[in-house]
Amino acid sequence: FLGEWKGQKVILKSSKSNVMGADELLDSELEINEYVHRNAKGSCAQFFGCCEIDERDSGNLYDESLPAGLWLMWAYEAENTLQNALNCDESKSLELLSSNYASCSSSFPFELYQRISADLLICLSKIHAIGVVHRDVKPENIILTKNGVKFIDLGGA
């Protein structure tokens, strides 16, 4: 979910109450995100940590308050994923991709694709170097930030 914390846009994620083991998976995702944030900087979306909402403070999410439980929080770094770029026609796709790589000329798309591929491999090698395997690498889990590409969704790592 998109939210706001200290005047900054953030992404919030919680476990689904009707899924068996979801709370344990969220606890695991919290630990993995903290570890990756400390040891593989820049490879994944910036992780802020978590907040625990108790029953007294809970509310309806769509009324701008959160239901009770553990919530993970990341910086909102990008509007688009690699999947968004792949779903567009070629000119729009190049526009989306090149907006994150000002040093690469859009008149040479091969150069742009090379740079994106290299950045993805660098991010992945940083994660692997600290002993973490993402296990869900796909275009939907790669965001196009102003500083290049980053991975999201370490829930299966």
Side-chain angles (χ1 to χ4, degrees):
F1 297 98
L2 182 61
E4 190 174 307
W5 181 64
K6 294 185 177 181
Q8 181 176 344
K9 283 185 179 180
V10 294
I11 300 297
L12 297 162
K13 180 178 183 179
S14 189
S15 59
K16 295 179 180 172
S17 59
N18 60 345
V19 176
M20 190 166 82
D23 290 338
E24 291 80 8
L25 288 172
L26 192 68
D27 289 340
S28 176
E29 188 172 359
L30 168 64
E31 289 180 27
I32 289 169
N33 273 278
E34 286 175 336
Y35 183 72
V36 169
H37 180 70
R38 276 192 317 270
N39 299 295
K41 292 204 179 299
S43 60
C44 295
Q46 183 183 5
F47 186 62
F48 286 147
C50 66
C51 61
E52 182 82 33
I53 307 296
D54 71 17
E55 293 295 331
R56 294 170 297 185
D57 297 324
S58 69
N60 183 337
L61 185 65
Y62 301 102
D63 290 337
E64 299 184 17
S65 58
L66 301 174
L70 181 69
W71 287 84
L72 306 185
M73 185 171 26
W74 294 264
Y76 179 80
E77 295 188 52
E79 177 85 20
N80 292 299
T81 65
L82 184 55
Q83 184 64 49
N84 297 128
L86 294 173
N87 286 341
C88 299
D89 63 55
E90 188 175 357
S91 64
K92 179 67 175 166
S93 178
L94 278 172
E95 182 184 320
L96 267 176
L97 294 170
S98 63
S99 67
N100 301 292
Y101 290 91
S103 63
C104 288
S105 171
S106 62
S107 61
F108 299 107
F110 180 74
E111 198 178 299
L112 178 62
Y113 300 147
Q114 263 187 324
R115 175 82 185 274
I116 292 168
S117 298
D119 283 358
L120 284 171
L121 292 173
I122 289 167
C123 287
L124 205 52
S125 69
K126 283 182 180 180
I127 296 169
H128 287 179
I130 63 167
V132 174
V133 178
H134 190 289
R135 292 182 44 188
D136 196 19
V137 174
K138 59 186 179 186
E140 295 95 325
N141 288 339
I142 299 166
I143 56 174
L144 305 172
T145 77
K146 64 182 178 185
N147 299 315
V149 293
K150 290 185 179 183
F151 286 99
I152 58 172
D153 195 3
L154 295 172

